[in-house]
Amino acid sequence: MASWPAHLFLLLLCLVLLAGEATPQTAQPPSVDDSADRWARPGCQAKCGNVIIPYPFGIDSEHCFGKGFEINCTNGTAYLGRGPGHNIEVVDILQDTPYLQGTLIVKHYIARDCNYHNGSRPEHVSARINLTRHPNYKFSHDRNSLVVVGCDALGSISSDRESTFATGCWSYCTDASFVANGTCSGIGCCTAPIPMDLSDFRLIVNSIFNHSNSSFAPCSYAFLADERTLNFSLSSFTEYSTREKAPVTLDWAIMNQTCEEAHGTGDFACVSPNSYCVNSTNGPGYLCNCSQGFQGNPYLNDSNGCSDINECSADPSPCVKRCHNREGSYSCSCPWYMYGDGQRDGSGCRSILRILYLSLGVGLSLFFLIAIVSWLYWIYKKRKLGELKQHFLEKNGGSLRPDIRLFSSEELEAASDNYNQSRILGEGGTGTVYRGVLPDRNVIAIKKAKISNDEAEVQQFINEVEVLSRINHRNVVKLLGCCLETQVPMLVYEFVPNGTLAHHVHGEGRRGSLSLEARIRISSEVAGALSYLHSAASTPVIHRDVKTTNILLDHNLTAKVSDFGASRLVPLDQNGLVSLIRGTFGYLDPEYFQTGQFTDKSDVYSFGVVLVELLTGKKPVAKMQAVKNLATLFMECVNSGRLVEILEERVVDEGTPELLEAAAELAMRCLSLNSYDRPLMREVAMELEALTRWTRIHPWGNVNVEEGDSLLSKVGSSSPSTVLRDSVNSSIEPMAPLEIVR
């Protein structure tokens, strides 16, 4: 007896659950305002006879209708427009039917041709209708067709205003038994399509045999009609004999502008919130519709505009239990003791009682099983991960450079938001560079190589660590550390925020963005960095891939040389090394390309191409006339006295002939085909530093005429660079040595 209350409680709970599952929610009937006033502007007549007049249509006052949409209501009959010629009767304006929005139905005369053969006078009546006075309207080409009814009927339609088209069809039959009800296939009835953008037409119907072959159908008829609502039968022959007019569907639109042109203007018609604009498919203009989940008049900016549809008030409700109306949509839910999506056309709501005990037992068993397996798997993965990290650390040369910071893979994943796509700074053939933020808020650049089994790519990353760990120069991107415990090592650099030099010279909309003074200064900084690599580093370094995409600019447009994956450390007692060809086409030293032997003069040639890029703003390889190489084209222009033709316009505007000739002469020496004729990188750096100092202390734009003439006269007897160096040395103090940060 002590357990009876518990059994009673369970029994009552089961009954409640089962009752809840079996009893659907009773939906309330929808509250829909069917009055015509909700379609018209406030204070305007909303109906004419039985025709509802929705805005932009309106009657009487200009306040009540949009331009070209006036309705004349006479004796309870609606007509398009007002005055002589505006006698087209309106039957219905289809506004609240989504697939018929932008259409209305009017009446037009039926063309007829009769020959009674009983002495009665023949009838031959054509029909025409012209909408040119109503430019907002066109005959709907996708809803209307030319319909010809008769057993000897040749009907045609043409433009009454312009001879732009003509089409028609012929219907023939001899006996009423051949006429098939419900189809207009050529026996007693035929159809023909009409073109788009049709604003007027003329209908003519004739008889080829004067109806002599058909005694039961002495008349033929031609009219436009909606073929989908046409119900042709044998009775149609007599039906149209008593009718003068037939309904035809018109398309209408707000004229003269597309959605894109009208949006944002003062007369844009789609004023209701939750409305959108669509371009007309039949001639110019646009229409407005309510967005999904809303209903009303999109042309009204008040309570009668597009308002939310309360789907939950529909009968039946779209939900079987609980319905929640939302702005423009709805959602369904089930009570706590049921499960499912709650949708009437979905899985609905089902009681959980039948699976409660089973799921509880299975769930507890699975919980303990998963917990034990997960714990064992976690121990296994942690051990394997440690072994894998140690393997990669040894493979990637972790013991070679113990003096640089080693980042963990977890640190770099957190800094780059798990290598989020939005953090990508740049991508290349061997890897991707991500922007990272350390916990101390310092911004870094993470170079992550693509996963590869190529040991050469791994060695390239290790080589870059070796090179950059020995270099500390203000114009060389700083290596902060690396991560060696992943399959392919990752490098961590200082963050250089202003992108590559190539972006500033060739990027979309960036052409001409750098001043001549900035170009000379940047080239001087790059030359200084390369001079340091060649001459001042503890072990000389040859970069082997000098190009504008490997030169970064910080927020002050200070140059930073980067990407030392192809670089080589050169012992002091070796003048050149032989290797596989490495570099980028357009920047590659021709001598190195032919012999396979690279020296520091190979970097000088590549730098010469960079200097020419800065002076000309052109890419190193492009289809220009018959020449595809910028260096060759530049040398040809200089040698033929056409230097100004190839220089960028801003460079010519901001420079003087002396400065431009000096820079061009230096570039020419760097681009010498024989490496022995090229200057050393430190000589290049000194000349560019002199040019930079001269432009700062004595701007070229302020050189007086006498001084300019003096310089030009010196150019005639010696090289431009020699004249410039002599002029600089006579006007400024001796140049201080290059500042090298160690």
Side-chain angles (χ1 to χ4, degrees), residues 466-486:
E466 282 291 306
V467 172
L468 286 177
S469 62
R470 300 171 183 267
I471 298 173
N472 188 10
H473 189 275
R474 68 176 181 273
N475 296 119
V476 175
V477 66
K478 186 177 181 180
L479 179 68
L480 302 179
C482 61
C483 176
L484 303 177
E485 60 184 29
T486 54

Side-chain angles (χ1 to χ4, degrees), residues 414-436:
S416 62
D417 192 16
N418 200 24
Y419 304 106
N420 195 302
Q421 293 291 318
S422 63
R423 297 289 189 94
I424 293 179
L425 297 175
E427 293 186 87
T430 59
T432 305
V433 180
Y434 295 86
R435 179 180 179 272

Side-chain angles (χ1 to χ4, degrees), residues 242-317:
T242 61
R243 293 175 57 182
E244 290 186 350
K245 294 183 178 181
V248 61
T249 303
L250 303 185
D251 291 334
W252 61 270
I254 310 296
M255 287 300 293
N256 297 332
Q257 290 180 311
T258 63
C259 290
E260 295 75 18
E261 295 169 345
H263 188 73
T265 61
D267 56 353
F268 186 51
C270 304
V271 296
S272 176
N274 304 309
S275 67
Y276 65 96
C277 179
V278 291
N279 289 319
S280 171
T281 58
N282 189 7
Y286 66 92
L287 296 165
C288 304
N289 288 332
C290 289
S291 302
Q292 180 71 29
F294 296 87
Q295 65 180 358
N297 192 335
Y299 302 94
L300 296 177
N301 189 16
D302 55 22
S303 59
N304 291 328
C306 297
S307 58
D308 174 56
I309 299 175
N310 186 1
E311 293 87 354
C312 296
S313 65
D315 186 18
S317 171

Side-chain angles (χ1 to χ4, degrees), residues 725-738:
R725 288 196 296 272
D726 293 342
S727 301
V728 171
N729 292 334
S730 64
S731 58
I732 63 174
E733 297 179 358
M735 181 184 69
L738 292 175

